[in-house]
């Protein structure tokens, strides 16, 4: 029906162009520039700052006492209520009263695990009747010599502090020279003594050498404040349950500062993620074991709430190292950013959550270059790969995002869709966001998914041109010029209408596939090196599990 001669096609092109030029289109919406309404997503819960009424009602004492405390220590207002309650419960379990707490209100500024660990360290060192004042001044106390602490009767005179600390380690026997050095005198500070003994323990238990120990103290200095029994408990749990070898423990030595009880909760309350044993997950990504169990459960709940399958979590386990509030905020941001939202069905979407700050910088940078095809891979890949993409000057992708998106829409095999789309020579030059907008436009015109699938290449074309040809098909003279055996467009099926629209567009471009280019994007960007704006430098951030070694930073810079 559509097989006309070449001359007839050319005459038809001239005819349709003349009709289009005389058609009044002043009220026609600009669908290429219409942005879809942003969904609101999930709102982060807002929490009131701490106030005297809440503290008096929840912790005890009275309004006036807490009002004075908050006025003297305004930083307390920044602490979350759940953290205050957790710290209070810990102090209560350590036999401290509300009167003790209001005497030193800043004590609840510290986290529950910090308070519990510091109290445990002081008990291991031989302190008796640890007062709230001693616990609050922990850092000062731990830097005092043993004889000074005994002189102030914080530690009984008859307590052999070094021997008491050595006995905390029950899984190895420390060498005799370690015990001899430990008894050389009480002029040494608790901090120095504990560090020396912990060095000896780690040399025996994990076969750490001197350079590894020095690196540990430089990068993960807070391990020195971990109680000895907790360190031993962590090593035992990681080696026996998670099957960490000594070598793997040395490479992930920050795990010594983990909370063994928290890890046991993770084993019990999150045994698997999408069928994969949590022990295997912890082995593959040890930093996950540093995350709070309740936080992990909240993160998984947020992921499910946004319709993301747990399979996506296994593709980006690093997302479990983020806080649940951060994950929720970034998921909401993805839901509100159209370039990110269209990738919501992609199984690798959580890479955008983990690398969202980097992805947003890159998206803004590519927008400056007028680059439209920013794939999920390009937004979240390594710096070298992104720099190569930006400087190669090819505004195209490999089509992965498009076939994943359409595969979810049409419920078709991705390879089948790729084979269909690959028939068009320029399909990889079209951003997935445009495909989504075009699909939504056709659906708004009552075209079904089956009809659109039969003319899938139409999703690559500008919405303006599609609408223009749709209006032309409503004219009787156009149907006559096409020599169609119908009186009006309504006699045609939806599939035939879409086929005709595609034919009308491409007939103007001699069926070369160039009909996909808009006036603003007639060709992909070339000579990027002459157009590149300043490339955004990576922000220097504090490493979550310590300070990065200087030599490593130097290598990264080079």
């Amino acid at each position: 029906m559509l097989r006309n001669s070449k001359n007839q096609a050319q005459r038809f092109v001239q005819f349709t162009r003349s009709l289009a030029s005389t058609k009044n289109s002043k009220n026609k919406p600009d669908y290429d520039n219409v942005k879809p309404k942003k969904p609101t997503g999930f709102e982060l819960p807002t929490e009131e700052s701490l106030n005297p009424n809440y503290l008096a009602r929840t912790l005890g004492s009275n309004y006036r006492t807490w009002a004075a405390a908050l006025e003297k220590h305004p930083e307390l207002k920044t602490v979350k209520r759940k953290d205050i309650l957790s710290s209070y419960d810990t102090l209560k379990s350590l036999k401290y009263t509300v009167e003790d707490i209001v005497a030193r209100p800043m004590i609840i500024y510290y986290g529950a695990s910090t308070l519990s660990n510091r109290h445990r360290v002081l008990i291991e060192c031989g302190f008796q009747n640890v007062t709230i004042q001693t616990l609050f001044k922990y850092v000062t106390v731990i830097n005092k010599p043993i004889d000074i602490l005994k002189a102030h009767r914080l530690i009984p005179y008859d307590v052999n502090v070094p021997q008491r600390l050595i006995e905390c380690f029950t899984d190895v026997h420390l060498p005799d020279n370690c015990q001899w050095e430990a008894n050389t005198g009480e002029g040494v500070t608790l901090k120095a003594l504990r560090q020396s003994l912990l060095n000896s323990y780690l040399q025996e238990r994990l076969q750490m050498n001197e350079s590894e120990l020095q690196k540990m103290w430089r990068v993960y200095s807070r391990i020195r404040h971990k109680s000895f029994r907790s360190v031993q408990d962590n090593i035992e749990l990681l080696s026996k349950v998670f099957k960490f070898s000594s070598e793997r423990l040395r490479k992930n030595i920050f795990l010594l500062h983990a909370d063994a009880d928290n890890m046991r909760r993770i084993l019990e309350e999150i045994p698997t993620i999408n069928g994969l044993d949590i022990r295997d997950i912890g082995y593959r990504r040890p930093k996950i074991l540093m995350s709070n169990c309740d936080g992990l459960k909240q993160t998984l709940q947020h992921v499910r709430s946004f319709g993301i399958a747990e399979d996506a979590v296994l593709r980006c386990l690093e997302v479990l190292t983020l806080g649940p509030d951060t994950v929720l905020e970034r998921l909401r941001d993805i839901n509100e950013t159209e370039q990110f939202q269209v990738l919501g069905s992609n199984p690798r979407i959580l890479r955008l959550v983990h690398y969202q700050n980097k992805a947003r910088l890159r998206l803004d940078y590519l927008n400056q270059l007028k680059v439209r095809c920013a794939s999920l891979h390009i937004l979240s890949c390594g710096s070298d790969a992104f720099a190569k993409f930006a400087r190669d000057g090819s505004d195209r992708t490999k089509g992965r995002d498009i076939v994943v998106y359409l595969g979810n829409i049409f419920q078709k095999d991705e390879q089948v869709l790729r084979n269909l789309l690959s028939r068009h020579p320029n399909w990889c030059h079209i951003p997935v966001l445009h495909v989504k907008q075009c699909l939504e436009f056709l659906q708004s015109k009552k075209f079904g998914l089956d009809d659109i699938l039969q003319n899938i290449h139409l999703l690559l074309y500008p919405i303006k041109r599609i609408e223009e040809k749709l209006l032309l098909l409503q004219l009787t003279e156009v149907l006559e010029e096409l020599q169609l055996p119908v009186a009006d467009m309504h006699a045609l099926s939806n599939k035939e209408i879409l086929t005709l629209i595609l034919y009308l567009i491409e007939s103007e471009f001699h069926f070369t596939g160039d009909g996909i280019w808009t006036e603003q994007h007639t060709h992909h960007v070339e000579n990027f090196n002459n157009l590149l704006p300043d490339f955004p430098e990576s922000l220097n951030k504090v490493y979550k599990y310590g300070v990065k070694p200087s030599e490593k930073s130097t290598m990264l810079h080079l």
Side-chain angles (χ1 to χ4, degrees), residues 406-527:
L406 293 179
N408 183 66
I409 295 295
F410 294 119
Q411 295 297 303
K412 295 291 183 181
D413 181 74
E414 293 176 9
Q415 189 58 49
V416 171
L417 294 174
R418 179 177 287 275
N419 292 339
L420 286 173
L421 291 167
S422 297
R423 297 175 186 175
H424 197 292
N426 299 320
W427 77 284
C428 285
H429 289 280
I430 303 301
V432 64
L433 178 60
H434 171 80
V435 173
K436 174 179 180 290
Q437 292 171 341
C438 190
L439 176 68
E440 291 173 347
F441 169 76
L442 292 176
Q443 287 183 303
S444 72
K445 298 298 181 180
K446 309 305 180 184
F447 291 101
L449 288 178
D450 290 338
D451 302 317
I452 297 173
L453 179 60
Q454 294 299 316
N455 296 275
I456 194 171
H457 299 103
L458 196 59
L459 298 175
L460 308 175
Y461 288 79
I463 295 174
K464 277 185 178 180
R465 287 184 179 150
I466 295 174
E467 190 202 17
E468 176 186 290
K469 304 312 176 188
L470 187 59
L471 293 174
L472 286 178
L473 287 175
Q474 298 177 22
L475 303 177
T476 304
E477 49 267 46
V478 173
L479 297 179
E480 292 176 354
E481 181 69 20
L482 283 171
Q483 299 181 5
L484 297 177
V486 293
D488 57 57
M489 185 182 72
H490 300 293
L492 298 171
S493 67
N494 283 345
K495 175 186 174 182
E496 291 170 334
I497 292 173
L498 294 178
T499 302
L500 282 172
I501 292 174
L502 185 57
Y503 170 81
L504 290 174
I505 294 175
E506 273 303 325
S507 64
E508 299 181 17
F509 297 90
H510 310 289
F511 304 98
T512 59
D514 288 341
I516 67 169
W517 307 117
T518 63
E519 294 179 0
Q520 295 84 6
H521 305 97
T522 53
H523 300 286
H524 60 274
V525 180
E526 297 178 354
N527 299 323

Side-chain angles (χ1 to χ4, degrees), residues 178-279:
C178 171
Q179 298 187 32
W180 178 82
E181 291 176 2
N183 286 277
T184 55
E186 295 187 339
V188 65
T189 65
L190 280 181
K191 177 182 175 180
L193 176 62
R194 294 185 76 257
Q195 181 170 326
S196 175
L197 293 176
L198 187 57
N199 282 344
S200 298
Y201 172 73
L202 294 177
Q203 286 173 331
E204 287 293 316
R205 183 66 177 81
L206 300 181
Q207 295 77 51
M208 293 183 70
N209 57 41
E210 190 63 31
S211 63
E212 289 173 330
L213 289 170
Q214 290 178 4
K215 178 182 177 181
M216 181 186 73
W217 295 124
R218 185 175 67 252
V219 182
Y220 309 111
S221 59
R222 63 179 183 167
I223 291 177
R224 62 167 51 93
H225 295 298
K226 193 72 173 175
S227 77
F228 285 177
R229 287 191 175 88
S230 296
V231 170
Q232 180 177 274
D233 196 12
N234 284 341
I235 293 177
E236 183 177 1
L237 181 63
L238 290 166
S239 58
K240 293 184 178 179
V241 178
F242 289 93
K243 306 303 180 183
F244 276 67
S245 63
S246 295
E247 180 183 5
R248 187 157 184 80
L249 278 170
R250 292 197 301 270
K251 291 181 178 179
N252 297 278
I253 200 65
F254 59 83
L255 288 173
L256 296 187
H257 202 275
D259 186 341
D261 291 335
N262 180 68
M263 288 192 285
R264 291 188 180 95
R265 281 192 61 201
I266 293 175
L267 287 167
E268 180 180 349
E269 300 179 27
I270 316 174
T272 62
I273 297 179
N274 197 48
L276 184 62
D277 196 306
I278 194 66
R279 291 173 293 184

Side-chain angles (χ1 to χ4, degrees), residues 256-483:
L256 296 187
H257 202 275
D259 186 341
D261 291 335
N262 180 68
M263 288 192 285
R264 291 188 180 95
R265 281 192 61 201
I266 293 175
L267 287 167
E268 180 180 349
E269 300 179 27
I270 316 174
T272 62
I273 297 179
N274 197 48
L276 184 62
D277 196 306
I278 194 66
R279 291 173 293 184
D280 296 330
I281 293 174
Y283 186 88
R284 286 166 53 183
R285 293 292 185 275
K287 290 179 184 177
I288 294 174
L289 300 177
M290 302 291 291
S291 300
N292 180 269
C293 179
D294 292 328
L296 289 177
K297 291 163 68 176
Q298 289 178 28
T299 295
L300 293 172
Q301 181 58 42
H302 293 331
V303 169
R304 289 190 290 265
S305 297
F306 276 79
I308 301 174
E310 284 192 355
D311 176 65
V313 177
L314 300 184
R315 293 172 180 265
C316 184
L317 290 173
E318 292 82 0
V319 76
L320 296 178
T321 65
L322 301 176
D325 290 345
T326 299
V327 172
L328 178 57
E329 183 179 0
R330 293 185 179 186
L331 284 170
R332 184 186 62 176
D333 187 65
I334 286 176
N335 224 28
E336 294 176 348
T337 305
E338 56 183 4
Q339 290 92 339
F340 294 159
Q341 183 191 17
V342 69
L343 301 170
S345 61
N346 196 300
R348 300 170 71 221
I349 183 62
L350 291 182
R351 287 182 62 83
L352 277 186
V353 174
H354 185 242
Y355 298 109
Q356 191 175 90
N357 294 334
K358 176 169 67 175
R360 186 164 289 284
L361 281 173
R362 290 180 174 182
L363 185 62
D364 293 341
Y365 180 71
L366 294 176
N367 285 338
Q368 293 181 55
L369 299 177
K370 308 300 181 184
V371 173
R372 303 185 301 158
C373 298
S375 67
L376 189 153
H377 171 71
I378 290 300
L379 293 176
S380 61
C381 66
S383 299
D384 292 340
F386 176 74
K388 183 178 185 300
F389 170 81
R391 291 178 170 82
D392 279 352
S394 180
D395 188 9
R396 60 170 293 159
T397 67
K398 295 182 179 180
R400 169 69 175 165
D401 294 344
I402 293 179
V403 296
V404 169
Y405 170 74
L406 293 179
N408 183 66
I409 295 295
F410 294 119
Q411 295 297 303
K412 295 291 183 181
D413 181 74
E414 293 176 9
Q415 189 58 49
V416 171
L417 294 174
R418 179 177 287 275
N419 292 339
L420 286 173
L421 291 167
S422 297
R423 297 175 186 175
H424 197 292
N426 299 320
W427 77 284
C428 285
H429 289 280
I430 303 301
V432 64
L433 178 60
H434 171 80
V435 173
K436 174 179 180 290
Q437 292 171 341
C438 190
L439 176 68
E440 291 173 347
F441 169 76
L442 292 176
Q443 287 183 303
S444 72
K445 298 298 181 180
K446 309 305 180 184
F447 291 101
L449 288 178
D450 290 338
D451 302 317
I452 297 173
L453 179 60
Q454 294 299 316
N455 296 275
I456 194 171
H457 299 103
L458 196 59
L459 298 175
L460 308 175
Y461 288 79
I463 295 174
K464 277 185 178 180
R465 287 184 179 150
I466 295 174
E467 190 202 17
E468 176 186 290
K469 304 312 176 188
L470 187 59
L471 293 174
L472 286 178
L473 287 175
Q474 298 177 22
L475 303 177
T476 304
E477 49 267 46
V478 173
L479 297 179
E480 292 176 354
E481 181 69 20
L482 283 171
Q483 299 181 5

